[in-house]
Amino acid sequence: MADPKGFLKHGREVAERRPVEERIHDWNEVYPGGMGRALLPIITEQAGRCMDCGIPFCHQGCPLGNIIPEWNDLVWRDDWDGAMDRLHATNNFPEFTGRLCPAPCETACVLGINQDPVTIKNVEVTIIDKAWESGYVRPQPPEWLSGRTVAVIGSGPAGLAAAQQLTRAGHTVAVYERADKLGGLLRYGIPEFKMEKKHLDRRIEQMRREGTVFRAGVDVGDELTADKLRDRYDAVVLAMGSTVARDLPVPGRELGGIHQAMEFLPQANRVALGEAVEDQIVATGKNVIIIGGGDTGADCLGTSTRQGAASITQLEILPEPPTDRPAGQPWPTYPMTFRVSSAHEEAGERVYAVSTKEFRADEAGNVRSLLLVDVEFEDGRLSEIEGTEREIPAELVLLAMGFVGPERAGLVEQLGVDLDERGNVARDSAYMTSVSGVFAAGDAGRGQSLIVWAIAEGRAAASAVDQYLTGSTTLPSPIPPTERPLVV
C-alpha cells in the first residue's frame, strides 16, 4: 500500500487546463505542456490515495485488467521505471487510454463508495508520458521468427494491439489501413486538442522497429481481394472498426449542410495537421447543431469552437443525467452522470430530451433550421410532449449518433463471414469468425465501444491467433469476446 492514510489526508485533485480564451485559438492539447507534465506536481499525492484494496474492483472495471494498485504504489515510491513496467504488462498503449478512455476503473474504485475515487487515469498518463520523455520506452523485437504470417486489417487501437502482440510473439505481421496515414479514428477521428498525434506517431515508430509492417492507403477488398489476402497470409485479423454511421431519416435529411460527424472531423483534423483539404466542411460563422450527446458530439463541439462558429447547440434525446450516481446504477457499475469535457467548458449549449422532427431549407436547398420537439419516456417508450415544437436556426448540422456496425460491402462480403443479430462480425469463444483462420477484434465484432475494450480485444485476439498458428501461446488473453461492462 502506498500511503496508509493517503485517502484521508488528500482529496481528489486534477491538473488545471489552459485558459479557455487561450486554447480555443490553437489545436494543442488543453493541458499546459501536455497532460502528463501538467499532472506531475500533484500526481504522487494522488497515487498515494490508493488503498491497495484486498479486492481491487478497479481491476473489474478495466477490461485490460490493469494492475492499478501496484503502479499507484510504485509512483508514490518514486519508482517510475517499475511503474511503467507494470503499466505495460497489461496495456500496449497507455498514452491513448490515459487521454481518451472514460475510466470505468475509477467508477469501480472502492474509495468511490463514499468518497471521490482515485485519479487512476491521470496516474496512468503521467507514468507513460514520463517514460517516453526519459527514453525508457524502447522497441521489443522478437528473439526469433515463427515463419508464420498475419494480416491485420485496420490500424485503430484493436488492430495495433493485436499487431504488436503478434509481432513480439515472432510472427511476421502486416497492418493494412485504407486511409493515407495510420491510426484509424485515432488519427483522423480524435481532435488534436484531445490527443496530439505525436503520441500515435512515436508508438507506430516503435512498432516498426519491432518488425511490424504497415501498409497505408490500401483498401483491402478492392485492390487486394479476400482471396489474395487468404493466399498470402496464414491468419487474418479483422479490426476495421464499426464505421457505418447511424443516420437520421427525417424530412429534409437530403439538404445541403447536413453531415455525419466522421465527414466533418477528419477534414478538420487534416487541416489542423497542416494538410490541404478541398471543399472543407467548416463551422466558421455558422449556427451549428450537433445531434448526439456523446464523446463524438463533444469532439464536434470543440472543433466547431476553434473554427469560429457563430453558435453551437448540442442535442440529446435522453433526459439530462444527474450529477451524482443514480440509485439504480450502484457502485461498481459505470453510471450515467452529467459530465463536462474540455469542449463543454469552452462554448455551446446542451439541450436534453429533444427530438428532431424535420430539417427545413433555405432558397438554395441548404439547411436553415431544425424543427424540434420535447420528448419524455413513459413506460419505456418515447413520446412527444404536445405544444413544445419549436424551430432553431442551423446552417451546419452534424450527426454524432454513433455507429451500427462494420461495412459489409467489400472484404466482409468477399470473406463470407457470418454476422450476428446486430450486424457485427460473429466470433466464437476464440475470436475466430465462421471462416477458419480469420479472426475479428474490436468494434468490428463487439460493436461500437470504448478504446480500452478495443485494446483488450486486440490483445485477446492476438493470443487466440498465436494459439491457432503454433498450437500454444504465452500471450495474455484479458477478456473473452462475450465479456460485457459491469451493469445492473
Side-chain angles (χ1 to χ4, degrees):
M1 185 173 183
D3 183 350
K5 297 183 179 180
F7 68 98
L8 297 174
K9 295 188 297 185
H10 307 292
R12 180 182 171 100
E13 188 177 359
V14 297
E16 290 188 8
R17 295 163 175 154
R18 293 189 291 135
V20 169
E21 59 272 16
E22 172 190 315
R23 69 188 196 230
I24 62 173
H25 296 294
D26 62 50
W27 295 93
N28 300 329
E29 283 191 9
V30 298
Y31 293 92
M35 191 173 181
R37 185 173 294 179
L39 287 162
L40 272 175
I42 63 173
I43 211 62
T44 298
E45 288 183 351
Q46 292 304 301
R49 296 183 71 236
C50 177
M51 300 184 292
D52 193 10
C53 306
I55 301 177
F57 276 80
C58 55
H59 289 196
Q60 177 63 36
C62 176
L64 282 165
N66 283 332
I67 313 169
I68 294 163
E70 291 192 17
W71 38 261
N72 278 332
D73 178 69
L74 290 165
V75 166
W76 186 76
R77 298 179 189 281
D78 204 32
D79 183 357
W80 291 92
D81 291 348
M84 194 214 71
D85 287 340
R86 302 315 295 148
L87 186 55
H88 268 154
T90 55
N91 188 352
N92 297 72
F93 314 120
E95 64 270 39
F96 303 165
T97 51
R99 288 173 166 82
L100 305 176
C101 180
C105 55
E106 293 187 14
T107 57
C109 173
V110 174
L111 186 58
I113 294 175
N114 57 7
Q115 292 190 35
D116 291 329
V118 176
T119 55
I120 298 169
K121 176 179 169 179
N122 287 354
V123 178
E124 174 185 27
V125 77
T126 307
I127 294 169
I128 189 59
D129 280 10
K130 188 173 177 65
W132 276 109
E133 288 189 9
S134 67
Y136 194 69
V137 182
R138 302 183 183 94
Q140 299 178 37
E143 296 182 358
W144 55 274
L145 295 178
S146 69
R148 304 299 180 90
T149 57
V150 183
V152 176
I153 314 303
S155 63
L160 291 178
Q164 186 167 63
Q165 293 294 96
L166 288 166
T167 297
R168 290 175 175 179
H171 305 301
T172 300
V173 181
V175 178
Y176 289 89
E177 170 58 54
R178 68 178 174 183
D180 58 335
K181 290 185 180 179
L182 302 163
L185 290 185
L186 292 172
R187 172 75 62 184
Y188 291 129
I190 301 298
E192 192 81 348
F193 58 81
K194 280 182 68 174
M195 187 183 79
E196 295 178 4
K197 300 308 172 283
K198 66 181 181 183
H199 302 293
L200 175 61
D201 291 336
R202 64 188 179 189
R203 189 59 83 170
I204 289 174
E205 180 58 27
Q206 180 203 31
M207 293 178 64
R208 279 199 176 100
R209 294 186 179 187
E210 292 173 348
T212 303
V213 177
F214 292 98
R215 304 195 184 283
V218 179
D219 190 355
V220 179
D222 186 7
E223 58 258 50
L224 179 60
T225 64
D227 288 341
K228 292 179 180 178
L229 190 73
R230 299 289 318 279
D231 289 342
R232 188 177 301 179
Y233 296 96
D234 297 312
V236 176
V237 179
L238 304 179
M240 70 281 276
S242 177
T243 55
V244 178
R246 182 175 284 108
D247 212 336
L248 185 60
V250 300
R253 171 62 181 89
E254 75 285 353
L255 297 175
I258 304 172
H259 303 276
Q260 291 288 350
M262 286 307 155
E263 296 173 321
F264 172 71
L265 288 173
Q267 291 185 351
N269 289 339
R270 287 179 180 275
V271 171
L273 294 169
E275 300 180 28
V277 174
E278 293 185 7
D279 300 322
Q280 182 189 0
I281 303 164
V282 294
T284 310
K286 298 175 182 176
N287 294 302
V288 179
I289 303 297
I290 301 165
I291 302 179
D295 287 341
T296 302
D299 294 343
C300 291
L301 170 59
T303 299
S304 298
T305 300
R306 283 158 178 77
Q307 290 182 350
S311 70
I312 311 170
T313 305
Q314 188 174 8
L315 308 180
E316 170 58 60
I317 198 169
L318 297 174
E320 180 174 336
T323 55
D324 298 322
R325 181 188 287 274
Q329 299 171 17
W331 175 90
T333 62
Y334 188 81
M336 298 303 294
T337 56
F338 185 81
R339 293 178 172 87
V340 179
S341 71
S342 64
H344 294 129
E345 294 175 343
E346 297 164 355
E349 178 186 3
R350 301 162 84 174
V351 180
Y352 290 90
V354 293
S355 178
T356 302
K357 296 192 67 173
E358 181 184 348
F359 299 112
R360 293 181 171 174
D362 63 13
E363 295 179 353
N366 297 314
V367 65
R368 65 168 175 82
S369 66
L370 272 71
L371 181 64
L372 297 182
V373 63
D374 292 345
V375 294
E376 61 182 353
F377 281 91
E378 291 183 334
D379 300 325
R381 298 182 63 182
L382 185 70
S383 60
E384 297 181 2
I385 300 176
E386 188 176 350
T388 61
E389 289 188 0
R390 61 197 182 276
E391 192 172 351
I392 60 173
E395 291 83 50
L396 175 62
V397 178
L398 301 173
L399 306 180
M401 303 181 297
F403 303 88
V404 296
E407 297 174 23
R408 301 185 185 184
L411 181 61
V412 170
E413 288 184 348
Q414 290 175 18
L415 286 170
V417 295
D418 291 342
L419 303 177
D420 64 19
E421 64 279 2
R422 296 183 299 156
N424 302 313
V425 178
R427 301 91 59 87
D428 64 15
S429 60
Y431 286 88
M432 191 182 294
T433 69
S434 57
V435 178
S436 179
V438 178
F439 299 78
D443 289 3
R446 173 170 291 273
Q448 180 184 344
S449 188
L450 304 177
I451 183 172
V452 68
W453 285 91
I455 296 174
E457 285 219 354
R459 289 171 65 88
S463 176
V465 173
D466 191 37
Q467 175 76 33
Y468 168 78
L469 293 175
T470 67
S472 64
T473 186
T474 59
L475 294 178
S477 183
I479 56 171
T482 53
E483 186 82 1
R484 291 294 180 266
L486 185 63
V487 296
V488 175

